[in-house]
Amino acid sequence: EGGMSAVGGVNIPTFYAPDDPLFADLKAKFVDHDIPLLMDAMSLSDQPLPLLWTGDFIPADGPTPGSTIYIVGEFNCSCVGISNFGKGCGPDKDLTDVTDENYLEGTRLTNLIGKKAVEALEEMDYAKVRADSLLPQPASPKYKLAHIGFESPGGYAFNTDKDKNGTRYDSIPICNGVIRAGASCELVKYTPDDHDGFAKEILKYDAFIVRV
């Protein structure tokens, strides 16, 4: 039973969900409080955490009977193994030795790693490129959205949140955020003089962002 341990011997892991209440207090103190302080101490507060890393803890008796405190033994981000695939490790083994259950659970994590890697790279690219106008719509959008606006009659005095084109000053950045996520997002103005035509036109969209 079990698989290879990082320090030798046999490892029989027990997996817990990130929001398991058993470790809620530890997570709050370590991830939400301690990690930002450590990153700042290493002058890395403006850098992302590694995609795959671990903090290894040593349990110790707490100050009150029956309580437990956790002491960090090490941080690891260079050779972290995904234990669900551990059965595939060995001179005569491969992924076919991994159970369907473990394969599925491990793939959930690796898919998330891939998603976060692409998101991080895209975020870096977007930060370098300024777009003051609407980006080109995707050729095959995941969804079709419409950003619906309305220009009140009466001129600027009644449209103080609009730009020179009659749309809200933040409309284009919002649409571009949707486009960068892989969906289309068109600027559409509500036309009260042709309400029925407007209602018919917007049926082609999957969702609306209403900003009037």
Side-chain angles (χ1 to χ4, degrees):
E1 289 296 324
M4 183 183 66
S5 169
V7 294
V10 175
N11 172 38
I12 303 177
T14 301
F15 301 102
Y16 296 90
D19 57 352
D20 193 298
L22 183 62
F23 299 105
D25 185 58
L26 174 62
K27 180 184 175 184
K29 292 177 179 176
F30 179 61
V31 176
D32 300 333
H33 181 266
D34 293 344
I35 289 298
L37 294 178
L38 291 170
M39 294 290 283
D40 185 60
M42 294 184 290
S43 300
L44 295 173
S45 57
D46 60 341
Q47 298 296 314
L49 289 166
L51 287 171
L52 182 61
W53 65 278
T54 63
D56 296 343
F57 294 92
I58 301 170
D61 292 336
T64 58
S67 65
T68 303
I69 60 173
Y70 294 90
I71 303 167
V72 175
E74 69 168 345
F75 291 98
N76 191 350
C77 63
S78 62
C79 58
V80 178
I82 300 176
S83 298
N84 300 90
F85 300 119
K87 285 291 186 180
C89 182
D92 58 346
K93 297 181 178 181
D94 59 19
L95 284 176
T96 60
D97 293 288
V98 178
T99 65
D100 290 343
E101 181 181 4
N102 276 330
Y103 186 90
L104 179 62
E105 188 64 24
T107 302
R108 286 178 56 195
L109 176 57
T110 55
N111 286 349
L112 180 61
I113 290 172
K115 178 182 177 182
K116 293 300 181 181
V118 172
E119 286 179 356
L121 291 171
E122 289 179 342
E123 186 175 340
M124 291 170 62
D125 287 340
Y126 297 152
K128 299 175 184 176
V129 180
R130 175 169 176 152
D132 294 329
S133 58
L134 203 62
L135 293 170
Q137 303 292 342
S140 301
K142 297 177 183 178
Y143 300 99
K144 295 181 179 179
L145 284 77
H147 179 293
I148 298 175
F150 173 68
E151 191 172 5
S152 301
Y156 178 74
F158 295 91
N159 295 278
T160 55
D161 58 349
K162 308 295 193 297
D163 63 14
K164 62 183 180 182
N165 299 309
T167 57
R168 283 183 60 102
Y169 58 89
D170 51 7
S171 297
I172 287 177
I174 290 174
C175 289
N176 285 343
V178 174
I179 293 170
R180 286 166 174 154
S184 65
C185 192
E186 299 177 3
L187 289 168
V188 178
K189 285 189 178 181
Y190 172 64
T191 51
D193 295 337
D194 184 22
H195 175 81
D196 292 341
F198 170 83
K200 183 178 180 181
E201 176 68 16
I202 63 173
L203 290 176
K204 65 181 181 181
Y205 298 104
D206 297 307
F208 319 114
I209 301 173
V210 180
R211 304 275 291 166
V212 297

